[in-house]
Amino acid sequence: MTVAFDYEVTLATPAGLRVLTAQAEREVALMAESVLRRHGGSPLRIEVTIACRDPGALRRIASYFNDVSLELDREWRGTTPSSHRGMFLFP
């Protein structure tokens, strides 16, 4: 039986690649957030690639990751969020 996934997020961390797949937008976003939160350094050093058929969902997921990454970076540094943008790679 073949299962088709509607959403795929690839995270390139210093420890290696993590490929997450799900049939729901929220599910893949929460899985990826969990990986980002367990990462032991600045999340801005993690490359994220998002693949899905819905351009609106892609933008929502990217925006969500951007917000989470900036929040985690602020916590990691103990300062205000950095102004880094463009960390997401779009297919």
Side-chain angles (χ1 to χ4, degrees):
M1 180 169 147
T2 303
V3 177
F5 294 104
D6 293 327
Y7 303 93
E8 180 179 287
V9 173
T10 303
L11 302 165
T13 71
L17 287 178
R18 292 288 306 264
V19 179
L20 309 170
T21 57
Q23 293 183 2
E25 177 181 342
R26 179 182 173 107
E27 183 182 359
V28 78
L30 293 175
M31 287 190 300
E33 178 182 355
S34 177
V35 172
L36 289 174
R37 289 191 180 278
R38 286 186 305 218
H39 176 64
S42 173
L44 299 179
R45 297 181 61 196
I46 297 174
E47 289 184 25
V48 178
T49 303
I50 304 163
C52 67
R53 288 177 270 229
D54 178 356
L58 190 142
R59 285 189 297 275
R60 287 188 298 274
I61 294 168
S63 178
Y64 179 71
F65 288 153
N66 189 59
D67 290 346
V68 169
S69 294
L70 292 174
E71 174 188 331
L72 293 174
D73 185 60
R74 180 178 63 242
E75 291 172 9
W76 184 73
R77 293 176 186 271
T79 62
T80 58
S82 74
S83 61
H84 180 76
R85 298 282 184 219
M87 63 181 274
F88 297 103
L89 306 174
F90 297 96

